[in-house]
Amino acid sequence: MRMVRLDAEDDFDGWRAAARMLAAERIAANEVLWQIGDRPVDLFGGEPIAVDAAQAPPMRVSRAFLDLARDAALHSEPERFALLYALLLRLLDQPHLLQDRADRPLRRLEGLAQNVRRDIHKMHAFLRFRELPDGDGTRFVAWYEPEHHILRRNAAFFVERFTNMRWSILTPRGALHWDGALLTEGPPAQRGDAPGDDPVEGVWKAYYSAIFNPARVMPRAMLKEMPRKYWRNMPETALVPQLIAGARKRELAMIEQDRAGPPRQLDTPTIRSRGAGGDDALELLRQEATACRRCPLWQPATQTVFGEGPHDAEIMIVGEQPGDREDIVGRPFMGPAGEVFDRAMAAAGIDRARAYVTNAVKHFKFEPRGKRRLHARPHAGEVDACRWWIDQERAIVRPRLVIAMGATAARSLTGKAMTIGQERGRAVLLADGTPCWITVHPSYLLRLPPEADADAEFSRYVADLRKAASSLVQAA
Ligand code: URA
């Protein structure tokens, strides 16, 4: 009997090196015991074999197997390393084994790997930090109970996402501490080591209730996605029963409003709770968006250019994407198109500072040409990926009307491709009943052919904006 001692529960590299050495000698799977740290496995295990990864003979295995093994190795199933080694041995003789969907040991390992992937995803989604003042300022501390050994695997995700915060993640399986530059590990923790209620919770709760859409309440689906066991560490879930209880009423109120048809007053206090917590919720959303990786556009861009304006703005105006200048400054409509936009807004009598101005896509897409960066139109996949943000912005701000400037904004808001020339100057109703007015994008006016009447085109643009804004006055 051989015994392999692995350094830790998630010591995939140790398993891999040992498995290579053992498999090179064709040591049978039932001849090997896998021990984690000093935890005793078997009195008859004998001496652990020395594992030196550099000594392990090379072995060719498929990437698919390595991916499977890397994930399954993190499962809390005590037999996982033995099961993986047994599969590896079989693979040496049956290279196509991974395609055998009926093979039970393989299916078992795939099930373990899938559980681990789900656990990784849940930790990304459900971990909540609480604010804790410490000697050096503020530290954010989270208590989380993963089902499997995924803490180290998730470290890079949290470092990347919360690079500028100082944080600690405490779990019963170990802890991670990030000080803004260095990540260190700590011993297992207990729930009592993490703080309870704090100001950040208030922000989360406000955010959650602001984005809660009563027409989309599906308790069963919610429970599947967010099982109750995660609830106790998530402040916003304290609101769920209350929000669900009120959902039907709010939904009926929305339907009732829709019957009245546009234009209408959407701002009745029973349906809207604009104001309370909206500023915090927007700020939280803006911070979250700085780390957006929903599509690859974040890579070459300088920064996320988020929307700006009051959290309770009555009008939301949506453009396409930030341009070169906006990408550097970090605010929407600051370059040449912004200049046209500002003039048109002033001419239409709309105070930009009172509107919420944003873009369908939050990163600058461009093609480098020498020292210049030329605007490139975002494609449908990028617009769809970014729709998540605009949906959240709308859910928090709850504008009484939206103005879509150009085809990209119209597609993002309505989900449909539109010919702006045909639709401009009119409103379409969005799924939640908000009127969405369509007009051209201000950069259209910058690209007019020489024979076009630029003044007349500008006046038409102003007229579209004015018409949209005046529908509010009629509705009030
Ligand atoms: N064009 C847009 O659509 N948005 C901006 O923010 C700038 C230019």
Side-chain angles (χ1 to χ4, degrees):
M1 191 63 86
R2 315 287 176 98
M3 187 169 82
V4 180
R5 184 178 291 154
L6 300 175
D7 285 344
E9 295 278 5
D10 59 355
D11 185 9
F12 170 74
D13 290 337
W15 172 84
R16 189 178 175 185
R20 269 205 224 138
M21 292 177 72
L22 295 162
E25 292 177 44
R26 300 283 166 152
I27 307 291
N30 58 8
E31 283 294 309
V32 185
L33 286 173
W34 300 88
Q35 184 189 19
I36 317 273
D38 293 330
R39 209 178 58 205
V41 227
D42 188 297
L43 289 178
F44 309 106
E47 276 305 295
I49 62 161
V51 176
D52 177 355
Q55 301 282 314
M59 178 169 290
R60 288 186 71 80
V61 286
S62 66
R63 170 145 297 281
F65 173 71
L66 275 182
D67 290 346
L68 169 72
R70 210 172 261 118
D71 290 340
L74 302 184
H75 203 281
S76 26
E77 160 62 57
E79 290 298 308
R80 64 196 181 282
F81 290 116
L83 293 170
L84 281 170
Y85 178 62
L87 182 67
L88 173 68
L89 281 183
R90 291 175 62 216
L91 266 174
L92 296 181
D93 297 327
Q94 304 170 58
H96 300 295
L97 180 60
L98 290 192
Q99 274 107 55
D100 184 354
R101 311 310 307 163
D103 187 81
R104 288 175 77 96
L106 170 62
R107 281 196 8 226
R108 170 133 188 248
L109 279 164
E110 282 177 341
L112 299 188
Q114 198 178 20
N115 294 156
V116 167
R117 283 178 215 126
R118 198 169 297 137
D119 204 29
I120 289 171
H121 164 75
K122 299 275 184 219
M123 186 168 173
H124 294 175
F126 299 150
L127 181 136
R128 295 287 180 266
F129 285 106
R130 292 166 160 90
E131 201 175 359
L132 193 68
D134 68 6
D136 298 329
T138 297
R139 174 168 285 273
F140 291 85
V141 181
W143 167 252
Y144 192 80
E145 294 166 67
E147 276 184 54
H148 305 293
H149 305 289
I150 57 166
L151 183 62
R152 279 200 196 109
R153 171 74 74 83
N154 269 343
F157 172 88
F158 288 102
V159 167
E160 198 180 317
R161 180 122 186 223
F162 301 107
T163 313
N164 299 324
M165 284 163 44
R166 294 166 58 248
W167 51 257
S168 295
I169 297 175
L170 310 180
T171 85
R173 297 170 192 269
L176 295 175
H177 307 283
W178 173 249
D179 70 358
L182 195 70
L183 184 73
T184 47
E185 289 187 17
Q190 292 175 1
R191 174 192 285 275
D193 298 332
D197 244 25
D198 77 343
V200 176
E201 294 210 348
V203 175
W204 265 110
K205 285 178 184 166
Y207 172 58
Y208 196 73
S209 54
I211 64 167
F212 189 84
N213 180 346
R216 291 211 202 119
V217 178
M218 290 176 287
R220 254 202 285 163
M222 279 168 72
L223 278 174
K224 187 157 171 264
E225 175 56 19
M226 193 203 290
R228 269 185 212 278
K229 67 182 172 202
Y230 298 103
W231 287 29
R232 63 187 166 190
N233 295 322
M234 299 173 65
E236 69 271 30
T237 51
L239 296 168
V240 168
Q242 172 192 337
L243 289 169
I244 290 181
R248 184 70 188 139
K249 211 166 130 204
R250 289 169 67 194
E251 186 186 0
L252 288 173
M254 278 183 172
I255 293 167
E256 200 45 49
Q257 277 190 325
D258 272 348
R259 288 215 186 97
R264 68 249 132 102
Q265 164 66 295
L266 288 175
D267 203 12
T268 58
T270 43
I271 300 142
R272 300 283 174 111
S273 56
R274 288 198 322 200
D279 244 350
D280 290 340
L282 258 188
E283 188 45 38
L284 199 65
L285 191 66
R286 169 197 304 282
Q287 281 170 22
E288 208 179 320
T290 58
C292 180
R293 304 287 184 265
R294 287 177 175 263
C295 80
L297 289 185
W298 66 273
Q299 276 168 314
T302 309
Q303 59 188 312
T304 306
V305 179
F306 205 67
E308 65 176 20
H311 66 85
D312 54 355
E314 298 198 311
I315 301 181
M316 177 180 280
I317 304 177
V318 184
E320 184 195 63
Q321 61 162 349
D324 183 77
R325 177 110 189 100
E326 290 79 11
D327 171 73
I328 293 162
V329 175
R331 296 178 54 200
F333 286 104
M334 300 305 290
E339 197 263 322
V340 177
F341 174 63
D342 283 348
R343 271 197 298 125
M345 289 281 279
I350 310 172
D351 182 356
R352 174 172 171 168
R354 293 184 58 191
Y356 186 86
V357 179
T358 191
N359 282 302
V361 171
K362 307 283 192 262
H363 283 111
F364 178 36
K365 180 174 179 181
F366 60 90
E367 277 162 18
R369 281 279 188 294
K371 286 193 180 154
R372 297 182 60 212
R373 304 188 299 171
L374 299 188
H375 165 275
R377 200 168 188 178
H379 60 60
E382 289 153 351
V383 175
D384 290 344
C386 219
R387 183 177 297 118
W388 194 86
W389 294 111
I390 212 153
D391 283 350
Q392 305 298 316
E393 287 174 292
R394 280 185 52 216
I396 294 171
V397 177
R398 304 183 179 210
R400 288 171 59 199
L401 69 82
V402 182
I403 301 178
M405 301 196 298
T408 305
R411 188 184 187 289
S412 165
L413 288 158
T414 64
K416 283 187 248 156
M418 278 194 187
T419 312
I420 301 301
Q422 284 169 15
E423 304 288 341
R424 69 181 290 181
R426 293 202 267 151
V428 292
L429 281 192
L430 301 182
D432 67 354
T434 310
C436 173
W437 290 78
I438 313 287
T439 187
V440 293
H441 190 279
S443 61
Y444 161 78
L445 301 172
L446 295 171
R447 291 195 301 260
L448 290 171
E451 67 278 13
D453 183 343
D455 288 343
E457 288 294 345
F458 181 76
S459 302
R460 232 183 126 193
Y461 175 48
V462 171
D464 287 350
L465 295 174
R466 191 180 289 130
K467 191 168 169 190
S470 60
S471 75
L472 266 190
V473 179
Q474 286 161 25

